[in-house]
Amino acid sequence: MTDGRDGGGVSVDEILAALADPTRRRLLDLLAAHGEATATTLAEGLPVSRQAVVKHLAVLDTAGLVTGGRVGREVRYAVRPAALDATARWMAALATDWDRRLDKIKRLAEAAEREERNDDRTPEGNA
Amino acid sequence: MTDGRDGGGVSVDEILAALADPTRRRLLDLLAAHGEATATTLAEGLPVSRQAVVKHLAVLDTAGLVTGGRVGREVRYAVRPAALDATARWMAALATDWDRRLDKIKRLAEAAEREERNDDRTPEGNA
DNA sequence: CCGCTGTGCAACTCTAGGGTTGCACTCGAA
DNA sequence: TTCGAGTGCAACCCTAGAGTTGCACAGCGG
């Protein structure tokens, strides 16, 4: 539960790193909206150069968040929900795990507190 | 659905950025395991200095992923599942959204294809 | 009161990576 | 075959931020 890789062998690390960049998220938005687009087209809708977009797409591709397909002389990219979905599940599971742990710790703390009160009432001289 | 802030007013951007760093995730792991710990304690279990840990904890705190509480002269930190959970839901919703979009696009593409075949059979001279 | 431990603050280094520009290459259309 | 649009590659800035060190400050225990 600490690391985690989805079915495609893409680490959560890569996906989170990819998602951390605002431009990249914007890119994903555009792609989700258009369904399919080239780096050149996408760059027109962003305040960055085509090359920057290409780099970002490469990162997203490595993370499994998009796929690139060649059509003639252009490269069409499309969004790929699987990786995102997998990461979402991973996070949800992690959150649940934390909840369980916190609950357990809380219980232990309360138990320890009761123990201490017991010690107060029964000093060291007992059997 | 593009941005998103949880109930506490913490942007998804901050949470993703916080989660993007491996050391920070490691830190969250340790915290989830111990339930509560100080920066100094946590630093002992990591290959970085206490100061580095303090900085990371500050980031995680801003992102709403941990809380700091002062006990005597030390500061105990604890994990905070709510923000993580909210982000997980956000991601899941986004993934679903992408799925819907892809589906719709696919349908449209197929419809357009049929349209085109129609045009082939009925050249412009119709009416 | 004094010393020890744990925090807080500040300045500084250094690298990853986001962004750019320039140019060479390829493929499709006229 | 030639022109142009689209892509790929490489070298290059520049800043954010991860990490460090040094020191001053605060609080608990003796």
Side-chain angles (χ1 to χ4, degrees):
Chain A
M1 196 63 63
T2 285
D3 52 341
R5 291 173 162 272
D6 79 352
V10 179
S11 67
V12 173
D13 186 292
E14 282 174 312
I15 298 182
L16 287 177
L19 250 32
D21 186 85
T23 304
R24 234 129 50 195
R25 282 201 304 278
R26 189 90 189 71
L27 214 44
L28 289 172
D29 269 349
L30 287 177
L31 266 168
H34 289 74
E36 242 188 17
T38 67
T40 306
T41 302
L42 290 167
E44 288 167 7
L46 287 174
V48 298
S49 71
R50 172 185 65 94
Q51 287 304 330
V53 172
V54 170
K55 283 193 192 177
H56 283 309
L57 284 173
V59 173
L60 291 170
D61 188 19
T62 302
L65 288 165
V66 304
T67 348
R70 186 144 219 151
V71 179
R73 75 178 154 184
E74 57 186 24
V75 183
R76 305 252 178 89
Y77 286 90
V79 110
R80 215 175 161 198
L84 220 225
D85 191 57
T87 306
R89 291 178 193 284
W90 173 81
M91 277 182 83
L94 190 53
T96 304
D97 185 50
W98 289 359
D99 259 327
R100 283 194 306 106
R101 285 176 190 275
L102 282 185
D103 225 56
K104 188 189 284 180
I105 301 276
K106 198 160 133 198
R107 249 186 270 286
L108 283 175
E110 283 165 1
E113 210 178 315
R114 274 193 295 278
E115 263 303 308
E116 242 169 60
R117 271 202 287 275
N118 265 356
D119 289 357
D120 287 351
R121 268 192 249 102
T122 63
E124 71 248 67
N126 70 345
Chain B
M1 196 61 66
T2 286
D3 54 341
R5 291 173 164 272
D6 79 352
V10 179
S11 66
V12 173
D13 185 293
E14 282 174 312
I15 298 182
L16 287 176
L19 250 30
D21 186 87
T23 303
R24 233 132 44 197
R25 282 200 304 278
R26 190 87 189 70
L27 214 43
L28 289 172
D29 270 349
L30 287 178
L31 239 83
H34 289 75
E36 242 188 18
T38 68
T40 306
T41 302
L42 289 166
E44 287 169 6
L46 287 175
V48 298
S49 71
R50 172 184 65 93
Q51 287 304 329
V53 172
V54 170
K55 283 193 192 175
H56 283 309
L57 285 173
V59 173
L60 291 171
D61 189 19
T62 302
L65 288 165
V66 303
T67 347
R70 187 146 221 151
V71 179
R73 74 178 157 189
E74 56 186 23
V75 182
R76 306 254 177 89
Y77 286 91
V79 110
R80 214 173 161 198
L84 219 225
D85 191 57
T87 306
R89 292 177 193 286
W90 173 80
M91 277 181 81
L94 189 54
T96 305
D97 185 50
W98 288 0
D99 259 327
R100 282 194 305 106
R101 285 176 191 275
L102 282 184
D103 226 56
K104 187 190 285 181
I105 300 277
K106 199 161 130 196
R107 248 185 272 287
L108 282 175
E110 283 165 359
E113 211 177 315
R114 273 193 297 278
E115 262 304 307
E116 242 169 60
R117 271 201 289 275
N118 265 356
D119 289 356
D120 287 353
R121 268 191 249 103
T122 64
E124 71 250 65
N126 72 343

